[in-house]
Every structure is written in structure tokens, then in C-alpha cells.
Amino acid sequence: LFTSGFVSNQAALSTILNSAPAGPEQRWICFSDEKNHASMIAGIKGSRAACSIFRHNDMAHLETLLRAAPPAAPKLIAFESVYSMDADIAPVGAICDLAKRFGAMTYLDEVHAVGMYGPNGGGVSERDGVAHRVDIIEGTLAKGFGCHGGYIAGDAEVIDFIRSTAPGFIFTTSLPPMTMAAALASVRHVRGDHARRAKLFERADALKRRFDGAGLPRIASDSHIVPLHIGEAGLCTEVSQRLLSEHGMYATPINYPTVPRGEERLRFTPGPMHTDAMMDQLVDALCAIVPMERRKAA
Ligand SMILES: Cc1ncc(COP(=O)(O)O)c(C=O)c1O
């Protein structure tokens, strides 16, 4: 358990990737999805590992890079399940297949999936029945659990090694008991609340249908996240500000460098408690603000 999801990624990855003794053959190679979160990048950059970046969710590219790497070098594939900016989902099983073929470890960030995906909210790896094939699963106690803190899960030896050596674990105050009591209560509740999980996906589909019906250009999404393409930084900020000031609704503008220029967007994450009426209000507000030329024929 770490003080945040960010710290879990940074501390765990840098510790694993620094673990081999220095020397050319023993240097880790980290295969990292190009859309990985800043916390994973911080962990990889803070290590001595060589980093090999594969195109987002592109299995053929990952395979080419793995094949080109020295067979004896220790390898780790770092990736996410739900990518929150693009709202798409990694083929977790296919990545595990490649890892097995090329003798690589797997490190999966499930921050946007824990609590929400899988029969018990274990994440996409649980949903896809492959959690046992992933070496390290990382998650947050924020987001789906609504509290604070981060964690990694894996085989006892690996966890023990990280716990015993990671500066981000050792040299900081641990999370306070009251926060952890809240997180534990939340995990226990969320694990069993199947109806709420089903409702989340039903609500996400309802919002997607409404956006499509109104010609609001949403970015295709396999997940519960519904991004709306705006395509211009100033306009994206303006739409967000007017949504808040004129309609009392808050959606963060996502501009460069979080996404490439021209791909600016607003991101909506409906929750199980959002009603049809609330969604209608949101769509009406967006239709009043997003200029006609940015919309599609409904
Ligand atoms: C993919 C991903 N990993 C890790 C984190 C960090 O998690 P936390 O907010 O618990 O620090 C975030 C964002 O918050 C994230 O989007």
C-alpha cells in the first residue's frame, strides 16, 4: 500500500527496473505503451532500464520490439487496462501471451478499472479471466473506491522485495488508519455491489446514445468513459468554463500536452446515480455551447 496510485507506479516500477546489478546484459528493458500515465513514465525514467515504447495497444509493434531485444535481457511490459484519455481498453490476455513467449514480466495499471470491471470489481484482468497471468497489478483507492491511496498486488516475493527496498514506500509516512478504514469499507462494499456496477455501464451507454442523438462528436469508447472531441484548446477551456458558470456542471478541459494538439476534448464519466434528466440537461447545455460547425449531423 502506497500513499497514492502515482507513488505506487513510480516506486514499484523504478524499484523493479533498478533491481538487476548494473552491466549491459543485466540492464532491464521496459516495454512501455506510448499512452502510459505520467506516474509509470516517472518510475521508468527514474531507473537504469532502457525504455522501448510501443505504439498504443499495438500487439504487432510490441512483438517486433520484443523480438529485437537481446533474449537474455530482463524484460518488463508496462501498460494500463482502461486508458482514460482515449477511453479504450488494452488486450490484457494478448499482452500476457507475448510476455510469456518472450520471457517478460507484466505490470498492469488498473487505476481506471478497479471497482468497476470484473464480477467483483477486480478490474479488466478479472473481467477477462487473466488476472493470474499478470505479474503485478497496480490500482488506486481513489477513483472507483472514492478514497485515497494506491497499491500493487503480485506474488509475495516480488511484493516483499519492493516493500523492503522502494524509497517511495519506506521514506514517507504511511496512510492514516481512518483513511484506510474508509477505503477498506469501500472495497468491501464495492466488491459486492454488482447492481451498481451494472448500472454504471448502463448509464455510460445512455450518455453515449444521447451524445450520438444530438450530433455531439464523442470519441468512440469501449469503456465507461465518454470523451467529447472539441479539437481546439481555447474552445475546450471555454466550453468547460461556460458549462460550469452557466449550467453548474463541471467537466475538465483536456488540452495539450495531455493529448496531442487538435485532439482537445472534454471527458465525461457518468456514475450509476446520474439520471436520464441529468443527462438530458447536460446534452442541452452542450448543444447550447458547442458551436454548430463542431457537431455532426445527428
Ligand atoms: C492511469 C493512472 N495511473 C495512476 C494514477 C494516479 O493515481 P492516484 O490519483 O491514486 O495518485 C492516475 C491518475 O490519477 C491515472 O490516471
Side-chain angles (χ1 to χ4, degrees), residues 37 80-85 109-114 116-117 140 143 224-225 267:
H37 188 256
E80 299 179 27
S81 53
V82 176
Y83 286 84
S84 72
M85 294 302 158
D109 175 317
E110 291 254 38
V111 159
H112 291 279
V114 281
M116 294 170 267
Y117 291 72
T140 184
K143 309 218 191 281
H224 62 289
I225 299 167
R267 190 177 51 168

Side-chain angles (χ1 to χ4, degrees), residues 121-145:
V124 172
S125 56
E126 188 198 27
R127 183 197 72 177
D128 294 355
V130 293
H132 61 288
R133 300 184 61 203
V134 181
D135 292 302
I136 297 187
I137 295 177
E138 181 271 348
T140 184
L141 295 170
K143 309 218 191 281
F145 295 118

Side-chain angles (χ1 to χ4, degrees), residues 243-257:
L243 259 185
L244 186 60
S245 61
E246 295 169 23
H247 302 274
M249 297 175 196
Y250 182 57
T252 347
I254 301 170
N255 289 339
Y256 177 85

Side-chain angles (χ1 to χ4, degrees), residues 36-275:
N36 273 346
H37 188 256
S39 52
M40 279 198 271
I41 296 170
I44 299 164
K45 283 194 170 161
S47 76
R48 289 188 300 270
C51 186
S52 186
I53 296 172
F54 61 96
R55 286 193 291 273
H56 180 51
N57 280 347
D58 184 336
M59 293 305 96
H61 191 218
L62 175 58
E63 181 173 347
T64 306
L65 295 176
L66 283 163
R67 198 182 292 284
K75 301 177 188 69
L76 179 142
I77 305 172
F79 62 112
E80 299 179 27
S81 53
V82 176
Y83 286 84
S84 72
M85 294 302 158
D86 292 84
D88 57 353
I89 298 182
V92 181
I95 294 180
C96 293
D97 291 343
L98 281 177
K100 190 158 181 232
R101 268 175 57 204
F102 291 94
M105 261 180 94
T106 42
Y107 184 101
L108 171 60
D109 175 317
E110 291 254 38
V111 159
H112 291 279
V114 281
M116 294 170 267
Y117 291 72
N120 302 296
V124 172
S125 56
E126 188 198 27
R127 183 197 72 177
D128 294 355
V130 293
H132 61 288
R133 300 184 61 203
V134 181
D135 292 302
I136 297 187
I137 295 177
E138 181 271 348
T140 184
L141 295 170
K143 309 218 191 281
F145 295 118
C147 293
H148 193 93
Y151 62 85
I152 54 168
D155 285 349
E157 293 90 336
V158 182
I159 299 302
D160 205 40
F161 171 71
I162 293 169
R163 193 167 33 203
S164 312
T165 54
F169 179 75
I170 299 169
F171 298 108
T172 184
T173 309
S174 54
L175 287 156
M178 56 283 192
T179 309
M180 289 303 89
L184 186 57
S186 178
V187 168
R188 285 182 174 146
H189 178 82
V190 167
R191 177 186 279 166
D193 196 346
H194 310 298
R196 192 182 296 220
R197 225 176 336 271
K199 190 80 180 157
L200 168 70
F201 291 98
E202 185 277 320
R203 292 288 76 197
D205 285 344
L207 187 63
K208 289 176 192 176
R209 278 198 305 277
R210 278 174 170 72
F211 276 16
D212 292 344
L216 290 165
R218 70 175 176 89
I219 296 167
S221 148
D222 309 327
S223 68
H224 62 289
I225 299 167
V226 188
L228 179 68
H229 182 261
I230 301 288
E232 205 253 291
L235 182 63
C236 196
T237 307
E238 185 196 326
V239 173
S240 165
Q241 283 171 350
R242 286 185 57 195
L243 259 185
L244 186 60
S245 61
E246 295 169 23
H247 302 274
M249 297 175 196
Y250 182 57
T252 347
I254 301 170
N255 289 339
Y256 177 85
T258 310
V259 292
R261 288 198 174 88
E263 293 185 26
E264 292 81 1
R265 62 197 66 178
L266 293 175
R267 190 177 51 168
F268 297 89
T269 314
M273 305 299 181
H274 283 119
T275 61

